[in-house]
Amino acid sequence: MTDVFEHTPQVWNVAQLRGALQGLPDDAPVRIGVADDPGDFDGYRDFVLVDAQHVENWWPATPTAPERTETTEALTLFADWEPGAYDRLD
C-alpha cells in the first residue's frame, strides 16, 4: 500500500503577494518555482509568469437550468517555460 500524507501548504492571498512585490520596479519579471512533488522545492522547475486571469466557473445547461458562468474573487496565474531555445518534442 502507498504511503499517503496530508499536504497543507500556506496558500497566499492578494495581500501577501502585494507585500512581496512592494519595492520592485514595474518591469521586474515574475518568476515562479513549481515544486517537483508536493512541498519539495529542492528540485523545483523555474517558470516565468505570462498571464493572469480571474477565475471563472462554468456550468453547462441542464433541462432545468441554462448554461451559466460566474467570475470568482480569485486569480489564476499562468506560467510558461523561460525564453530560450528548446528541443522540439514530437
Side-chain angles (χ1 to χ4, degrees):
M1 185 168 178
T2 304
D3 286 336
V4 176
F5 71 96
E6 192 69 29
H7 180 58
T8 55
Q10 168 61 46
V11 178
W12 276 32
N13 60 35
V14 172
Q16 290 169 297
L17 182 57
R18 278 191 193 114
L21 296 173
Q22 189 174 8
L24 291 174
D26 288 344
D27 61 348
V30 176
R31 301 170 72 84
I32 299 172
V34 178
D36 282 342
D37 288 307
D40 179 12
F41 288 97
D42 289 337
Y44 72 89
R45 294 198 81 138
D46 207 13
F47 294 92
V48 292
L49 180 65
V50 295
D51 195 12
Q53 296 181 10
H54 288 276
V55 175
E56 283 191 349
N57 295 317
W58 174 81
W59 293 269
T62 66
T64 59
E67 174 183 306
R68 67 177 201 180
T69 302
E70 291 179 1
T71 301
T72 62
E73 290 186 7
L75 194 64
T76 298
L77 302 177
F78 292 91
D80 198 354
W81 291 54
E82 296 183 64
Y86 296 95
D87 291 337
R88 184 175 304 277
L89 301 176
D90 293 330

Coordinates of all heavy atoms in Angstrom, one line a residue:
M1 N 0.8 -1.2 0.0 CA 0.0 0.0 0.0 C 0.9 1.3 0.0 O 1.9 1.3 0.7 CB -0.9 0.0 1.2 CG -1.9 1.1 1.3 SD -3.1 0.7 2.5 CE -4.1 2.2 2.4
T2 N 0.5 2.3 -0.7 CA 1.2 3.5 -0.8 C 1.1 4.4 0.4 O 0.0 4.5 0.9 CB 0.7 4.3 -2.1 OG1 0.8 3.5 -3.2 CG2 1.5 5.6 -2.2
D3 N 2.2 4.9 0.9 CA 2.1 5.9 2.0 C 1.4 7.2 1.5 O 1.7 7.6 0.4 CB 3.5 6.2 2.5 CG 4.1 5.1 3.3 OD1 3.3 4.3 3.8 OD2 5.3 5.1 3.4
V4 N 0.6 7.7 2.3 CA -0.2 8.9 2.0 C 0.1 10.0 3.1 O 0.2 9.6 4.3 CB -1.7 8.6 1.9 CG1 -2.5 9.9 1.7 CG2 -2.0 7.6 0.8
F5 N 0.2 11.2 2.7 CA 0.4 12.3 3.7 C -0.5 13.4 3.3 O -0.9 13.6 2.1 CB 1.8 12.7 3.8 CG 2.4 13.5 2.7 CD1 2.3 14.9 2.7 CD2 2.9 12.9 1.5 CE1 2.8 15.6 1.6 CE2 3.4 13.6 0.5 CZ 3.3 15.0 0.5
E6 N -0.9 14.2 4.3 CA -1.8 15.3 4.0 C -0.9 16.5 3.7 O -0.1 16.9 4.5 CB -2.6 15.6 5.3 CG -3.7 16.6 5.1 CD -4.9 16.1 4.2 OE1 -5.1 14.9 4.2 OE2 -5.5 16.9 3.6
H7 N -1.1 17.1 2.5 CA -0.3 18.3 2.1 C -1.2 19.5 2.3 O -2.2 19.7 1.8 CB 0.0 18.1 0.6 CG 0.7 19.3 0.0 ND1 2.0 19.6 0.5 CD2 0.5 20.1 -1.0 CE1 2.4 20.6 -0.2 NE2 1.5 21.0 -1.1
T8 N -0.7 20.4 3.2 CA -1.4 21.6 3.6 C -0.5 22.8 3.5 O -0.1 23.4 4.5 CB -1.9 21.5 5.1 OG1 -0.8 21.2 5.9 CG2 -3.0 20.3 5.2
P9 N -0.3 23.2 2.2 CA 0.6 24.4 2.1 C -0.1 25.7 2.5 O -1.4 25.8 2.6 CB 0.8 24.4 0.6 CG -0.4 23.8 0.0 CD -0.8 22.7 1.0
Q10 N 0.6 26.7 2.9 CA 0.1 28.0 3.2 C -0.2 28.7 1.9 O 0.7 29.1 1.1 CB 1.1 28.8 4.0 CG 0.8 30.3 4.1 CD -0.5 30.6 4.8 OE1 -0.8 30.0 5.9 NE2 -1.4 31.4 4.3
V11 N -1.5 28.8 1.5 CA -1.9 29.4 0.2 C -1.9 30.9 0.4 O -2.6 31.4 1.3 CB -3.3 28.9 -0.2 CG1 -3.7 29.5 -1.5 CG2 -3.2 27.3 -0.4
W12 N -1.2 31.6 -0.4 CA -1.1 33.0 -0.3 C -2.4 33.7 -0.8 O -3.1 33.2 -1.6 CB 0.0 33.6 -1.2 CG 1.4 33.5 -0.5 CD1 1.8 32.6 0.4 CD2 2.5 34.4 -0.7 NE1 3.1 32.9 0.8 CE2 3.5 34.0 0.1 CE3 2.6 35.5 -1.5 CZ2 4.7 34.6 0.1 CZ3 3.9 36.2 -1.5 CH2 4.9 35.7 -0.7
N13 N -2.6 34.9 -0.2 CA -3.7 35.7 -0.7 C -3.1 37.0 -1.3 O -1.9 37.2 -1.4 CB -4.6 36.1 0.5 CG -3.9 36.9 1.6 OD1 -3.0 37.7 1.4 ND2 -4.3 36.6 2.9
V14 N -4.0 37.8 -1.8 CA -3.6 39.0 -2.6 C -2.7 39.9 -1.8 O -1.7 40.5 -2.2 CB -4.8 39.7 -3.2 CG1 -4.4 41.0 -3.8 CG2 -5.5 38.8 -4.2
A15 N -3.0 40.1 -0.5 CA -2.3 41.0 0.4 C -0.8 40.5 0.5 O 0.1 41.3 0.5 CB -2.9 41.1 1.8
Q16 N -0.6 39.2 0.7 CA 0.7 38.7 0.8 C 1.5 38.9 -0.5 O 2.7 39.2 -0.5 CB 0.7 37.2 1.1 CG 0.2 36.9 2.6 CD -0.1 35.5 2.8 OE1 -1.0 34.9 2.1 NE2 0.6 34.8 3.7
L17 N 0.8 38.7 -1.6 CA 1.5 38.9 -2.9 C 1.9 40.4 -3.1 O 3.0 40.7 -3.5 CB 0.6 38.4 -4.1 CG 1.2 38.5 -5.5 CD1 2.5 37.8 -5.6 CD2 0.2 38.1 -6.5
R18 N 1.0 41.3 -2.8 CA 1.3 42.7 -2.9 C 2.5 43.1 -2.0 O 3.3 43.8 -2.4 CB 0.1 43.5 -2.4 CG -1.0 43.7 -3.4 CD -2.0 44.8 -3.0 NE -3.1 44.7 -3.9 CZ -4.4 44.3 -3.5 NH1 -4.6 44.0 -2.2 NH2 -5.3 44.3 -4.3
G19 N 2.5 42.5 -0.8 CA 3.6 42.8 0.1 C 5.0 42.3 -0.5 O 6.0 43.0 -0.4
A20 N 5.0 41.1 -1.1 CA 6.2 40.6 -1.7 C 6.6 41.4 -2.9 O 7.8 41.5 -3.2 CB 6.0 39.1 -2.1
L21 N 5.7 42.0 -3.6 CA 6.0 42.8 -4.8 C 6.4 44.3 -4.5 O 7.0 44.9 -5.3 CB 4.8 42.9 -5.7 CG 4.4 41.5 -6.3 CD1 3.1 41.7 -7.1 CD2 5.5 41.0 -7.2
Q22 N 6.2 44.7 -3.2 CA 6.5 46.0 -2.8 C 7.9 46.4 -3.0 O 8.8 45.6 -2.7 CB 6.1 46.2 -1.4 CG 6.1 47.7 -0.9 CD 5.6 47.8 0.5 OE1 5.3 46.8 1.2 NE2 5.4 49.0 0.9
G23 N 8.2 47.5 -3.6 CA 9.5 48.0 -3.9 C 10.2 47.5 -5.1 O 11.3 47.9 -5.5
L24 N 9.6 46.5 -5.8 CA 10.2 46.0 -7.1 C 9.8 47.0 -8.2 O 8.7 47.6 -8.2 CB 9.6 44.7 -7.4 CG 10.1 43.5 -6.6 CD1 9.4 42.2 -7.0 CD2 11.6 43.3 -6.7
P25 N 10.7 47.2 -9.2 CA 10.3 48.1 -10.3 C 9.2 47.4 -11.1 O 9.1 46.2 -11.2 CB 11.6 48.2 -11.1 CG 12.5 47.0 -10.7 CD 12.0 46.6 -9.3
D26 N 8.5 48.3 -11.8 CA 7.3 47.8 -12.6 C 7.7 46.8 -13.7 O 6.9 45.9 -14.1 CB 6.6 48.9 -13.3 CG 5.8 49.7 -12.2 OD1 5.6 49.2 -11.1 OD2 5.4 50.9 -12.6
D27 N 9.0 46.9 -14.2 CA 9.4 46.0 -15.3 C 10.1 44.7 -14.8 O 10.7 44.0 -15.6 CB 10.2 46.8 -16.3 CG 11.5 47.3 -15.7 OD1 11.7 47.3 -14.5 OD2 12.4 47.8 -16.5
A28 N 10.1 44.5 -13.5 CA 10.8 43.3 -13.0 C 10.0 42.0 -13.4 O 8.8 42.0 -13.2 CB 10.9 43.4 -11.4
P29 N 10.7 41.0 -13.9 CA 10.0 39.8 -14.3 C 9.5 39.0 -13.1 O 10.1 39.1 -12.0 CB 11.0 39.0 -15.1 CG 12.3 39.6 -14.7 CD 12.1 41.0 -14.2
V30 N 8.4 38.3 -13.2 CA 7.9 37.5 -12.2 C 8.3 36.0 -12.5 O 7.9 35.5 -13.6 CB 6.4 37.7 -12.0 CG1 5.9 36.7 -10.9 CG2 6.1 39.1 -11.7
R31 N 9.0 35.4 -11.6 CA 9.4 34.0 -11.8 C 8.6 33.1 -10.9 O 8.3 33.6 -9.8 CB 10.9 33.8 -11.6 CG 11.7 34.7 -12.5 CD 13.2 34.8 -12.1 NE 13.9 33.5 -12.4 CZ 14.4 33.2 -13.6 NH1 14.3 34.0 -14.6 NH2 15.0 32.1 -13.7
I32 N 8.3 31.9 -11.3 CA 7.5 31.0 -10.5 C 8.3 29.7 -10.4 O 8.6 29.1 -11.4 CB 6.1 30.8 -11.1 CG1 5.4 32.1 -11.2 CG2 5.3 29.7 -10.3 CD1 4.1 32.0 -12.0
G33 N 8.6 29.3 -9.1 CA 9.2 28.0 -8.9 C 8.1 27.0 -8.6 O 7.4 27.2 -7.6
V34 N 8.0 25.9 -9.4 CA 7.0 24.9 -9.2 C 7.6 23.7 -8.6 O 8.6 23.1 -9.1 CB 6.3 24.6 -10.5 CG1 5.2 23.5 -10.3 CG2 5.6 25.8 -11.1
A35 N 7.1 23.2 -7.4 CA 7.6 22.1 -6.8 C 7.5 20.8 -7.6 O 6.5 20.6 -8.3 CB 6.9 21.8 -5.4
D36 N 8.6 20.0 -7.6 CA 8.5 18.7 -8.4 C 7.5 17.8 -7.7 O 6.9 17.0 -8.4 CB 9.9 18.1 -8.4 CG 10.8 18.7 -9.4 OD1 10.3 19.4 -10.3 OD2 12.0 18.5 -9.3
D37 N 7.4 17.8 -6.4 CA 6.5 17.0 -5.7 C 5.9 17.9 -4.6 O 6.4 18.9 -4.3 CB 7.2 15.8 -5.0 CG 7.6 14.7 -6.0 OD1 6.8 14.3 -6.8 OD2 8.8 14.3 -6.0
P38 N 4.7 17.5 -4.0 CA 4.1 18.3 -3.0 C 5.1 18.8 -1.9 O 5.7 17.9 -1.3 CB 3.0 17.5 -2.4 CG 2.7 16.5 -3.5 CD 4.0 16.2 -4.2
G39 N 5.3 20.1 -1.8 CA 6.2 20.6 -0.8 C 7.7 20.5 -1.0 O 8.5 20.9 -0.2
D40 N 8.1 19.9 -2.2 CA 9.5 19.7 -2.4 C 10.0 20.7 -3.4 O 9.9 20.6 -4.6 CB 9.7 18.3 -3.1 CG 11.1 18.0 -3.4 OD1 12.0 18.7 -3.0 OD2 11.4 17.0 -4.1
F41 N 10.7 21.8 -2.8 CA 11.3 22.8 -3.6 C 12.8 22.6 -3.9 O 13.4 23.5 -4.4 CB 11.0 24.2 -3.0 CG 9.5 24.6 -3.2 CD1 8.6 24.4 -2.1 CD2 9.0 25.1 -4.3 CE1 7.3 24.7 -2.2 CE2 7.7 25.4 -4.5 CZ 6.8 25.2 -3.4
D42 N 13.3 21.5 -3.4 CA 14.7 21.3 -3.6 C 15.0 21.1 -5.1 O 16.1 21.5 -5.6 CB 15.2 20.0 -2.8 CG 15.3 20.3 -1.3 OD1 15.4 21.5 -0.9 OD2 15.2 19.3 -0.6
G43 N 14.1 20.5 -5.8 CA 14.3 20.3 -7.3 C 13.2 21.0 -8.1 O 12.7 20.4 -9.0
Y44 N 12.9 22.2 -7.7 CA 11.8 22.9 -8.4 C 12.2 23.3 -9.8 O 13.3 23.4 -10.1 CB 11.3 24.1 -7.6 CG 12.3 25.3 -7.6 CD1 12.2 26.2 -8.6 CD2 13.3 25.4 -6.6 CE1 13.1 27.3 -8.6 CE2 14.1 26.4 -6.6 CZ 14.1 27.4 -7.6 OH 14.9 28.4 -7.6
R45 N 11.2 23.5 -10.6 CA 11.3 24.0 -12.0 C 11.1 25.5 -12.0 O 10.1 25.9 -11.3 CB 10.4 23.3 -13.0 CG 10.7 21.8 -13.1 CD 10.1 21.3 -14.3 NE 10.9 21.6 -15.4 CZ 11.2 20.8 -16.4 NH1 10.7 19.6 -16.5 NH2 12.0 21.2 -17.4
D46 N 11.8 26.2 -12.7 CA 11.7 27.7 -12.8 C 10.9 28.1 -14.0 O 11.2 27.7 -15.1 CB 13.1 28.3 -12.8 CG 13.1 29.7 -12.2 OD1 12.2 30.1 -11.6 OD2 14.2 30.4 -12.5
F47 N 9.8 28.8 -13.8 CA 9.0 29.3 -14.9 C 8.8 30.8 -14.8 O 9.2 31.4 -13.8 CB 7.6 28.6 -14.8 CG 7.6 27.2 -15.1 CD1 7.7 26.3 -14.0 CD2 7.5 26.6 -16.4 CE1 7.7 24.9 -14.2 CE2 7.5 25.3 -16.6 CZ 7.6 24.4 -15.5
V48 N 8.3 31.4 -15.9 CA 8.0 32.8 -15.9 C 6.5 33.1 -16.0 O 5.8 32.3 -16.6 CB 8.7 33.6 -17.0 CG1 10.2 33.6 -16.7 CG2 8.4 33.0 -18.3
L49 N 6.0 34.1 -15.4 CA 4.6 34.5 -15.4 C 4.3 35.1 -16.8 O 5.0 36.0 -17.3 CB 4.3 35.5 -14.3 CG 2.9 36.0 -14.2 CD1 1.9 34.8 -13.8 CD2 2.7 37.1 -13.2
V50 N 3.2 34.5 -17.4 CA 2.9 35.0 -18.8 C 1.5 35.6 -18.9 O 1.1 36.2 -19.8 CB 3.1 33.9 -19.9 CG1 4.6 33.6 -20.0 CG2 2.3 32.7 -19.6
D51 N 0.6 35.3 -17.8 CA -0.7 35.8 -17.9 C -1.4 35.7 -16.5 O -0.9 34.9 -15.7 CB -1.5 35.0 -18.9 CG -2.9 35.7 -19.3 OD1 -3.1 36.9 -19.0 OD2 -3.7 35.0 -20.0
A52 N -2.4 36.4 -16.3 CA -3.2 36.3 -15.1 C -4.7 36.5 -15.5 O -5.0 37.5 -16.3 CB -2.8 37.3 -14.1
Q53 N -5.6 35.7 -15.0 CA -7.0 35.8 -15.4 C -7.8 35.5 -14.1 O -7.5 34.7 -13.3 CB -7.4 34.9 -16.5 CG -6.7 35.2 -17.8 CD -7.2 34.2 -18.9 OE1 -8.1 33.5 -18.7 NE2 -6.5 34.3 -20.0
H54 N -9.0 36.3 -14.1 CA -9.9 36.0 -13.0 C -10.5 34.6 -13.2 O -10.7 34.1 -14.3 CB -11.0 37.0 -13.0 CG -10.6 38.3 -12.5 ND1 -10.5 38.7 -11.1 CD2 -10.1 39.4 -13.1 CE1 -10.0 39.9 -11.0 NE2 -9.8 40.4 -12.2
V55 N -10.7 33.9 -12.1 CA -11.2 32.5 -12.1 C -12.7 32.6 -12.5 O -13.4 33.3 -12.0 CB -11.0 31.8 -10.8 CG1 -11.7 30.5 -10.8 CG2 -9.6 31.7 -10.4
E56 N -13.0 31.7 -13.5 CA -14.4 31.6 -14.0 C -14.8 30.2 -13.8 O -14.1 29.2 -14.1 CB -14.5 32.0 -15.4 CG -14.5 33.5 -15.7 CD -15.0 33.8 -17.1 OE1 -15.0 32.9 -18.0 OE2 -15.2 35.0 -17.4
N57 N -16.0 30.0 -13.2 CA -16.6 28.7 -13.0 C -17.7 28.6 -14.1 O -18.5 29.6 -14.2 CB -17.2 28.6 -11.6 CG -16.1 28.5 -10.6 OD1 -15.1 27.9 -10.7 ND2 -16.3 29.2 -9.5
W58 N -17.8 27.5 -14.8 CA -18.8 27.3 -15.8 C -19.6 26.1 -15.6 O -19.1 25.1 -15.2 CB -18.1 27.2 -17.2 CG -19.0 26.9 -18.3 CD1 -19.8 27.8 -19.0 CD2 -19.2 25.6 -18.9 NE1 -20.4 27.1 -20.0 CE2 -20.1 25.8 -19.9 CE3 -18.7 24.4 -18.7 CZ2 -20.6 24.8 -20.7 CZ3 -19.1 23.3 -19.4 CH2 -20.1 23.5 -20.5
W59 N -20.9 26.2 -15.8 CA -21.8 25.0 -15.6 C -22.6 24.9 -16.9 O -23.2 25.9 -17.4 CB -22.8 25.2 -14.5 CG -22.1 25.3 -13.1 CD1 -21.9 24.2 -12.3 CD2 -21.6 26.4 -12.4 NE1 -21.2 24.6 -11.2 CE2 -21.0 25.9 -11.2 CE3 -21.5 27.8 -12.7 CZ2 -20.4 26.8 -10.3 CZ3 -20.9 28.6 -11.8 CH2 -20.4 28.1 -10.6
P60 N -22.6 23.7 -17.5 CA -23.4 23.5 -18.7 C -24.9 23.6 -18.5 O -25.4 23.5 -17.3 CB -23.0 22.1 -19.2 CG -22.6 21.4 -17.9 CD -22.0 22.5 -17.0
A61 N -25.6 23.9 -19.5 CA -27.1 23.9 -19.4 C -27.6 22.5 -19.1 O -27.1 21.5 -19.5 CB -27.7 24.4 -20.8
T62 N -28.7 22.5 -18.3 CA -29.4 21.2 -18.0 C -30.8 21.4 -18.4 O -31.3 22.5 -18.8 CB -29.3 21.0 -16.5 OG1 -30.0 22.0 -15.8 CG2 -27.9 20.9 -16.0
P63 N -31.6 20.4 -18.3 CA -33.1 20.5 -18.7 C -33.8 21.6 -17.8 O -34.8 22.1 -18.3 CB -33.6 19.1 -18.5 CG -32.5 18.2 -18.6 CD -31.3 19.0 -18.1
T64 N -33.3 21.8 -16.6 CA -34.0 22.8 -15.7 C -33.2 24.1 -15.5 O -33.8 25.0 -14.8 CB -34.2 22.1 -14.4 OG1 -32.9 21.7 -13.8 CG2 -35.1 20.9 -14.5
A65 N -32.0 24.2 -16.0 CA -31.3 25.5 -15.8 C -30.4 25.8 -17.0 O -29.9 24.9 -17.7 CB -30.3 25.3 -14.6
P66 N -30.3 27.1 -17.4 CA -29.5 27.5 -18.5 C -28.0 27.4 -18.2 O -27.6 27.3 -17.0 CB -29.9 28.9 -18.7 CG -30.3 29.4 -17.4 CD -30.9 28.2 -16.7
E67 N -27.2 27.4 -19.2 CA -25.7 27.5 -19.0 C -25.4 28.8 -18.2 O -26.1 29.8 -18.4 CB -25.0 27.6 -20.4 CG -23.5 27.8 -20.3 CD -22.9 27.9 -21.7 OE1 -23.1 27.0 -22.5 OE2 -22.2 28.9 -21.9
R68 N -24.4 28.7 -17.3 CA -24.0 29.9 -16.6 C -22.5 29.9 -16.3 O -21.9 28.9 -16.3 CB -24.8 30.0 -15.3 CG -24.5 29.0 -14.3 CD -25.3 29.2 -13.0 NE -24.5 28.4 -12.0 CZ -24.8 28.3 -10.8 NH1 -25.9 28.9 -10.3 NH2 -24.1 27.7 -10.0
T69 N -22.0 31.1 -16.2 CA -20.6 31.4 -15.8 C -20.6 32.4 -14.7 O -21.3 33.4 -14.7 CB -19.9 31.9 -17.1 OG1 -20.0 31.0 -18.1 CG2 -18.4 32.1 -16.7
E70 N -19.7 32.1 -13.7 CA -19.6 33.1 -12.6 C -18.1 33.4 -12.5 O -17.2 32.5 -12.6 CB -20.1 32.5 -11.3 CG -21.5 32.3 -11.2 CD -22.0 31.7 -9.9 OE1 -21.1 31.4 -9.0 OE2 -23.2 31.5 -9.7
T71 N -17.7 34.6 -12.3 CA -16.4 35.0 -12.0 C -16.2 35.1 -10.5 O -17.0 35.8 -9.8 CB -16.0 36.4 -12.7 OG1 -16.2 36.2 -14.1 CG2 -14.6 36.8 -12.4
T72 N -15.2 34.4 -10.0 CA -15.0 34.5 -8.5 C -13.9 35.5 -8.2 O -13.2 36.0 -9.0 CB -14.5 33.1 -8.0 OG1 -13.3 32.8 -8.6 CG2 -15.5 32.0 -8.3
E73 N -13.8 35.8 -6.9 CA -12.8 36.7 -6.4 C -11.5 36.0 -6.2 O -11.0 35.8 -5.1 CB -13.3 37.4 -5.2 CG -14.4 38.4 -5.4 CD -14.8 39.2 -4.2 OE1 -14.1 39.1 -3.2 OE2 -15.8 39.9 -4.3
A74 N -11.0 35.5 -7.3 CA -9.7 34.7 -7.3 C -9.0 35.0 -8.6 O -9.6 35.4 -9.5 CB -9.9 33.2 -7.0
L75 N -7.7 34.7 -8.6 CA -6.9 34.9 -9.8 C -6.1 33.7 -10.1 O -5.6 33.0 -9.2 CB -6.0 36.1 -9.5 CG -5.3 36.8 -10.7 CD1 -6.3 37.4 -11.6 CD2 -4.3 37.8 -10.1
T76 N -6.0 33.3 -11.4 CA -5.2 32.2 -11.8 C -4.0 32.8 -12.5 O -4.1 33.6 -13.4 CB -5.9 31.3 -12.8 OG1 -7.0 30.7 -12.1 CG2 -4.9 30.2 -13.2
L77 N -2.8 32.5 -12.1 CA -1.5 33.0 -12.7 C -1.1 31.9 -13.6 O -1.0 30.7 -13.3 CB -0.5 33.2 -11.7 CG -0.8 34.3 -10.6 CD1 0.3 34.4 -9.6 CD2 -1.1 35.6 -11.2
F78 N -0.7 32.2 -14.9 CA -0.3 31.3 -15.9 C 1.2 31.4 -16.1 O 1.7 32.5 -16.3 CB -1.0 31.5 -17.2 CG -2.5 31.1 -17.1 CD1 -3.4 32.1 -16.8 CD2 -2.9 29.8 -17.3 CE1 -4.8 31.8 -16.7 CE2 -4.3 29.5 -17.2 CZ -5.2 30.5 -16.9
A79 N 1.9 30.3 -16.0 CA 3.4 30.3 -16.1 C 3.7 29.5 -17.4 O 3.0 28.6 -17.8 CB 4.0 29.7 -14.9
D80 N 4.9 29.8 -18.0 CA 5.4 29.1 -19.1 C 6.9 28.9 -18.9 O 7.5 29.5 -18.0 CB 5.2 29.9 -20.4 CG 5.3 29.1 -21.7 OD1 5.7 27.9 -21.6 OD2 5.0 29.6 -22.7
W81 N 7.5 28.1 -19.7 CA 9.0 28.0 -19.7 C 9.7 29.3 -20.0 O 9.1 30.1 -20.7 CB 9.4 26.9 -20.7 CG 9.0 25.5 -20.3 CD1 7.7 25.1 -20.0 CD2 9.8 24.4 -20.2 NE1 7.7 23.8 -19.8 CE2 8.9 23.3 -19.9 CE3 11.1 24.1 -20.3 CZ2 9.4 22.0 -19.7 CZ3 11.6 22.9 -20.2 CH2 10.7 21.8 -19.8
E82 N 10.9 29.5 -19.4 CA 11.6 30.7 -19.7 C 11.9 30.8 -21.2 O 12.0 29.8 -21.9 CB 12.9 30.7 -18.9 CG 12.7 30.7 -17.4 CD 14.0 30.7 -16.7 OE1 14.7 31.8 -16.8 OE2 14.4 29.8 -16.0
P83 N 12.1 32.1 -21.7 CA 12.5 32.3 -23.0 C 13.8 31.6 -23.3 O 14.7 31.5 -22.5 CB 12.7 33.8 -23.2 CG 11.8 34.4 -22.1 CD 11.9 33.4 -21.0
G84 N 14.0 31.0 -24.5 CA 15.2 30.3 -24.8 C 14.9 29.3 -25.9 O 13.8 29.1 -26.4
A85 N 16.0 28.6 -26.3 CA 15.9 27.5 -27.3 C 15.7 26.2 -26.7 O 16.5 25.8 -25.7 CB 17.2 27.5 -28.2
Y86 N 14.8 25.4 -27.2 CA 14.5 24.1 -26.6 C 14.4 23.1 -27.7 O 14.0 23.4 -28.8 CB 13.1 24.1 -25.8 CG 13.1 25.0 -24.6 CD1 12.7 26.3 -24.7 CD2 13.6 24.6 -23.4 CE1 12.7 27.2 -23.6 CE2 13.6 25.4 -22.3 CZ 13.2 26.7 -22.4 OH 13.2 27.5 -21.3
D87 N 14.7 21.8 -27.4 CA 14.5 20.7 -28.4 C 13.0 20.6 -28.6 O 12.2 20.6 -27.7 CB 15.0 19.4 -27.8 CG 16.5 19.4 -27.7 OD1 17.2 20.2 -28.4 OD2 17.0 18.6 -26.9
R88 N 12.6 20.5 -29.9 CA 11.2 20.3 -30.3 C 10.8 18.8 -29.9 O 11.5 17.9 -30.3 CB 11.0 20.5 -31.7 CG 9.5 20.4 -32.1 CD 9.3 20.8 -33.6 NE 9.9 22.1 -34.0 CZ 9.2 23.3 -33.8 NH1 8.0 23.3 -33.2 NH2 9.7 24.4 -34.2
L89 N 9.8 18.7 -29.2 CA 9.3 17.4 -28.8 C 8.2 17.0 -29.8 O 7.4 17.7 -30.2 CB 8.7 17.4 -27.4 CG 9.7 17.8 -26.3 CD1 9.0 17.9 -25.0 CD2 10.9 16.9 -26.3
D90 N 8.3 15.7 -30.2 CA 7.3 15.2 -31.2 C 6.0 14.8 -30.5 O 5.9 14.5 -29.4 CB 7.8 14.0 -31.9 CG 9.0 14.4 -32.8 OD1 9.0 15.5 -33.3 OD2 9.9 13.5 -33.0

